Amino acid sequence: MSRPSGSPADRTATDIYRLLFAAYGPQHWWPAQSAFEMMVGAILTQNTAWTNVEKAIANLRAAAALDAQAMLTMDEAGLRELIRPSGFFNQKAARLRLFCAYYLQTGREAGMRTLPDPRASLLALNGIGPETADSILLYALGMPVFVVDAYTRRIFTRLGLLPEGVNYADTQDFFHAQLANSAPLFNEYHALIVQHAKQHCRVKPDCSRCPVSGFCSYRQGKR
Ligand code: SF4
């Protein structure tokens, strides 16, 4: 792989992707046994660490409740207990049930994919914001929609590729404009961003061994 020169004009989202992939390798996202489980995970992961989501998913699976009809049939108090490890369990139980009703009414994954505007229909649901909607579209439905999170904005503003305070839509537009329209690419890229944020670009960054430090405005003292 040829190495980019490092001048700001030469840095692109593709350059950063190549460096992150070379450093961390394939991430094998999303860790789930079914598309429905991915959607449940996307809702449960709001405002909590993934390890907590895994406990909640394990509880749902053990109770044979990792199923839309089962979640709607059981009483909400029981559902709250199962997902308690994910935090905000009152709110998330209500959101899950709302989503499950939508999922069944829409015709599960096949029906969701054929909606005129699947993203808008998800965003119309209470408690589903852009990051959750886009996670569902990309990881569960395999649609080419770039997922943006706080890690994405932190890393790419530090790199100098996005302005401070950039919003969700403009961040997403940046990636959509620079990358091929590919769900597998968007899948891997978002997972690599999460890995990079955990390994090096933390709140207090570890820049000394960072694979993209040669291209980073923050590292070069410009931010
Ligand atoms: S050099 Fe530091 S601030 Fe820049 S991307 Fe790497 S870890 Fe983050």
Side-chain angles (χ1 to χ4, degrees):
M1 182 185 71
S2 63
R3 187 174 174 80
S5 71
S7 74
D10 291 336
R11 289 174 302 169
T12 67
T14 301
D15 295 327
I16 302 302
Y17 174 82
R18 288 178 178 147
L19 291 167
L20 293 177
F21 189 83
Y24 303 120
Q27 299 298 300
H28 307 292
W29 275 37
W30 182 294
Q33 294 177 15
S34 69
F36 180 72
E37 184 182 326
M38 291 180 200
M39 299 190 220
V40 171
I43 293 169
L44 292 179
T45 200
Q46 295 170 346
N47 302 307
T48 196
W50 183 251
T51 51
N52 298 327
V53 177
E54 288 177 322
K55 292 173 191 161
I57 296 271
N59 287 348
L60 289 167
R61 182 174 285 114
L66 198 48
D67 172 85
Q69 192 59 59
M71 283 193 217
L72 287 170
T73 304
M74 71 190 308
D75 72 46
E76 196 160 314
L79 181 58
R80 285 187 208 122
E81 278 310 303
L82 292 173
I83 65 166
R84 180 182 282 270
S86 71
F88 303 98
F89 49 89
N90 290 334
Q91 192 181 61
K92 288 180 181 176
R95 287 178 182 178
L96 273 180
R97 285 162 65 91
L98 192 66
F99 174 77
C100 287
Y102 160 88
Y103 172 80
L104 293 176
Q105 285 163 8
T106 307
R108 301 173 186 261
E109 289 82 4
M112 290 171 71
R113 281 195 194 91
T114 55
L115 289 170
D117 189 342
R119 188 173 196 261
S121 78
L122 284 168
L123 290 174
L125 297 173
N126 186 36
I128 304 282
E131 184 182 339
T132 305
D134 292 341
S135 295
I136 289 171
L137 295 172
L138 177 62
Y139 288 104
L141 301 184
M143 302 177 81
V145 179
F146 201 90
V147 176
V148 172
D149 63 0
Y151 294 150
T152 313
R153 280 179 272 191
R154 178 203 291 166
I155 293 167
F156 282 81
T157 55
R158 284 175 171 174
L159 287 169
L161 290 171
L162 290 171
E164 292 288 345
V166 66
N167 65 24
Y168 190 102
D170 288 346
T171 305
Q172 188 176 60
D173 287 347
F174 164 81
F175 287 98
H176 284 172
Q178 291 218 358
L179 301 172
N181 189 37
S182 161
L185 172 62
F186 293 174
N187 175 326
E188 194 66 58
Y189 207 151
H190 176 67
L192 287 166
I193 285 169
V194 172
Q195 185 63 245
H196 183 54
K198 291 179 175 172
Q199 293 274 333
H200 291 100
C201 205
R202 300 186 282 267
V203 173
K204 185 178 177 187
D206 169 18
C207 301
S208 61
R209 291 173 296 133
C210 168
V212 294
S213 64
F215 311 95
C216 180
S217 296
Y218 181 98
R219 174 66 163 166
Q220 293 165 14
K222 295 175 185 167
R223 283 186 178 241

